[in-house]
Amino acid sequence: MPLPSPDAIAAQAHLLPLLRAALKAANAQRFDEAERLTQAILQQAPAMADAVHMLAYIALHRGDLTRAEDLAQQAITLDFHFENYHLTLAQAQLGRGDVAGAKASCGAALGLNPAHVDTYALLAKVFMAEQDAESARAVLYQGLTYEAENPELLFTLGYVEMERGDITATMAALGKALDLRPDDQRIRLIYARALRRYKLKQPDPALLERVLPLLGAPGISPRDLAGVVENALRFDIGIRTLKKAAEVPPEKLAAFMFSPAFPALGENRTLLAWLRHGIVGLAVLESIFTALRRGALWLVIGKPLALETHEIWLEALAQRNFHADYLDPETAEERERLALLDQQIAAAIAAGSLPPPGHLAIYACYRPLYRRADAAALAALRWPAALRDLRRRQLDEPLREQAIAAALPALTPIEDATSRHVREMYEESPFPRWSQPLLGADATMGQVVRSSLPRQRLPDITVAAPQVLVAGCGTGLHAILAATNYRDAQVLALDLSRASLAYGKRQAEELGFNNITFAQADILQVGALPQRFDLIESFGVLHHLRDPAAGLAQLAQLLKPGGYMMLGLYSEVGRRDVVAARHLIAEHGYRDTPDDIRRFRADLPRLDAALEARLRRSSAFLSLPDFRDLVFHRQEHRYFPEQLGPLVANAGLRFLGFELSESAHLRSYCAAYPDDPQAVNLAHWAEFERQNPDLFANCFRFWVDKPV
Ligand SMILES: C[S@@+](CC[C@H](N)C(=O)[O-])C[C@H]1O[C@@H](n2cnc3c(N)ncnc32)[C@H](O)[C@@H]1O
């Protein structure tokens, strides 16, 4: 919010303190207070343009676009010569889909002040709304001539270049924006997203230095950073010497680990950070570390003291293996040696002393410490600082989750046989496995819904503090995303699985999100709950119900009239590789047990190498619970787009459109089907999906509303 104009300050100086207080409240998003103060000003000075503009600004940020537009027009009528009024008007017009009006208002603002860089940033968004990335780019460059280091312009330029498909220019603009504002979460997020598309042919040490601080940062998915980090590791000289480790018998590997020629993995900063925070996706890294774990096990039994030099990287590997939930295959001999190690560790704990750190680290590379029968006694011992993270991740946190799980409220019974069966699976394998939360846009509900459905003509959405239901929240990643996406939201997060809910609740508490309530419930029975919601999200859930339509009808009952719902349902076309994997699983008789899941994953390159390569691109390939969810699910329905229409209509809901990961897809659809400008014709979408089978990845993500 800009400062008041000089004229207003001179004429109504006695109101200045009130205006400043209103401004402060508005900037802190205390809009009720800002409005009260502004109305008090207007009682004394009804024609004070700045106060009228303040109301417009407040309405804009509350999502009341019609009122914002009206008030901004009034402010302009009172005082035309202030570019910010035109900018506010343009923002309201753009929000309401009046692209021509927004463009004219930006023109008026720039006519008054050609150096007004905020207007260039908005004008670029106006051009983007017209699918005109070239003009958007041109105005941003024009803005940059006035202020070459403006982070907002550079940020918008990065976004526009990404839409234009110029990844080099995207990285350049966003890299500069990030250097200027390293803590700006929006810039970090879009930079990380851009990295995913950036294909490196050789290592780029400067880029790696920029990327490493993002690793482990809240909101940043390690998957986005995988290309840069794993590329650096692939070319690392030390790691390259281990390329053939899987072919070396464990006793020889143990001898090599004992020799000075073994690379100093404990000093490899990138490797340690990646094992602790990343998700190891490179097959070669996976096979190296499966072999090294085996070598270390031989070493610990044969020459226990020699293990000391390996403690640091073993501790980091234990973090990775815990996170992946031990999805690497084990041999029978390894199990025998592990049993010996287990006895040694148990004896030390029974004697009241902490086992040697290396012993604990290598054990934790195979089994989670909290599952030991003597876990409580182990947790009660004094641990060295070097193992603090291991202790936290493998003992303290899971033990706390067990206590949380036992105390969670149950809002409905779980009676349906399929729900019970599915619940059992997610109690054993909570999904998804995550360590860094994904953070939302912190925008009004109206802004989020509008930006998800750019082709829809939506009414004003003025809900200020939405009641949000996340139905089937899993391990809380989704609940935290929703709680940070919708400003001032109160979130109820429901799931069948107590283990999943407890994981989410612990994480949410530690991260300081206090607007989420976690509770156990079966969607099939939620219709009886007393609450009603402005918005419901249920992603990747209803297709696991015996009767998804019955579940959707229950959710529809909880939605307020005029409310919105975001749903994620499996696509039959998008999941064709999963279907192929499921056929292989059935054909070869793999069972839904951890051992068979590991075995299938390890056998897959031999069974169908091309399929393995394609599935490996999914992050679900990289941990046991997620892989189980991907290809071993006990219950799943899949859909073609034309089936979604009747499904939502039968629940009294209206289909509003798909949310696609790439806006270029929506542009292509609209170009191919000009008779469907709102992009809601499901027969067209079915045809379009057949032509572009990866359009939706695994899952349709779409919005519906409940007509008033
Ligand atoms: C694939 S996970 C999706 C989790 C989360 N929505 C996400 O996107 O990360 C499916 C979740 O739905 C839950 N679920 C399945 N059937 C359910 C039901 N009938 N009622 C409540 N939750 C259910 C499962 O327990 C599981 O945690």
Side-chain angles (χ1 to χ4, degrees), residues 140-141 144 148-163 166-198 207 210-211 214 224:
L140 288 167
Y141 274 110
L144 286 165
E149 303 234 308
N150 181 291
E152 199 58 37
L153 289 180
L154 289 164
F155 166 71
T156 314
L157 181 62
Y159 164 74
V160 169
E161 295 289 18
M162 188 141 72
E163 291 293 304
D166 186 339
I167 189 66
T168 310
T170 305
M171 295 299 294
L174 293 177
K176 272 195 215 164
L178 190 64
D179 288 346
L180 290 164
R181 279 208 203 136
D183 297 327
D184 187 321
Q185 188 65 14
R186 288 171 321 148
I187 301 177
R188 287 168 151 222
L189 287 177
I190 190 171
Y191 183 76
R193 247 180 57 203
L195 278 173
R196 202 186 271 219
R197 303 179 193 190
Y198 194 53
L207 184 63
R210 203 182 253 157
V211 163
L214 298 178
D224 288 344

Side-chain angles (χ1 to χ4, degrees), residues 27 62 76 130 140 200 202 229 276 278 289 295 366 373 438 480 506 516 538 623 677 685 700:
N27 280 343
R62 282 177 168 160
I76 291 168
E130 283 183 319
L140 288 167
L200 272 176
Q202 57 207 26
V229 178
R276 289 192 178 122
F289 282 99
Y366 279 95
L438 298 178
I480 292 175
R506 177 188 60 73
I516 312 172
S538 189
S623 85
W685 276 109
F700 302 115

Side-chain angles (χ1 to χ4, degrees), residues 465-523:
Q467 295 291 323
V468 176
L469 172 67
V470 177
C473 64
T475 48
L477 188 68
H478 184 174
I480 292 175
L481 184 60
T484 52
N485 210 18
Y486 304 102
R487 187 174 301 150
D488 297 328
Q490 283 299 327
V491 174
L492 176 63
L494 302 179
D495 204 279
L496 292 172
S497 151
R498 285 179 172 266
S500 302
L501 289 158
Y503 189 89
K505 186 169 160 66
R506 177 188 60 73
Q507 289 268 27
E509 281 175 5
E510 281 167 14
L511 292 161
F513 299 115
N514 50 16
N515 57 341
I516 312 172
T517 305
F518 289 90
Q520 189 185 34
D522 184 350
I523 290 173

Side-chain angles (χ1 to χ4, degrees), residues 481-622:
L481 184 60
T484 52
N485 210 18
Y486 304 102
R487 187 174 301 150
D488 297 328
Q490 283 299 327
V491 174
L492 176 63
L494 302 179
D495 204 279
L496 292 172
S497 151
R498 285 179 172 266
S500 302
L501 289 158
Y503 189 89
K505 186 169 160 66
R506 177 188 60 73
Q507 289 268 27
E509 281 175 5
E510 281 167 14
L511 292 161
F513 299 115
N514 50 16
N515 57 341
I516 312 172
T517 305
F518 289 90
Q520 189 185 34
D522 184 350
I523 290 173
L524 282 174
Q525 311 222 19
V526 290
L529 296 181
Q531 298 99 317
R532 291 294 175 268
F533 297 89
D534 300 294
L535 196 136
I536 297 179
E537 294 197 352
S538 189
F539 190 85
V541 180
L542 290 176
H543 46 228
H544 295 315
L545 271 61
R546 179 182 42 79
D547 182 356
L552 185 58
Q554 294 280 306
L555 292 181
Q557 281 185 49
L558 297 188
L559 192 61
K560 292 181 190 170
Y564 291 85
M565 200 186 297
M566 187 277 284
L567 294 167
L569 289 178
Y570 282 154
S571 152
E572 185 71 59
V573 174
R575 267 177 91 76
R576 63 200 178 283
D577 283 338
V578 172
V579 173
R582 289 172 73 95
H583 284 316
L584 279 180
I585 289 165
E587 188 188 327
H588 294 273
Y590 294 95
R591 288 157 310 143
D592 173 23
T593 62
D595 273 346
D596 269 22
I597 295 169
R598 281 190 203 106
R599 211 161 49 79
F600 172 66
R601 189 175 176 282
D603 292 348
L604 193 51
R606 183 175 48 76
L607 296 172
D608 187 336
L611 181 63
E612 196 256 3
R614 288 197 301 277
L615 287 177
R616 188 173 271 279
R617 286 191 220 129
S618 158
S619 55
F621 197 80
L622 308 179

Side-chain angles (χ1 to χ4, degrees), residues 81-96:
H81 298 97
F82 199 32
E83 63 271 17
N84 274 306
Y85 300 175
H86 297 274
L87 183 62
T88 302
L89 176 60
Q91 283 171 311
Q93 288 166 320
L94 181 62
R96 298 188 60 231

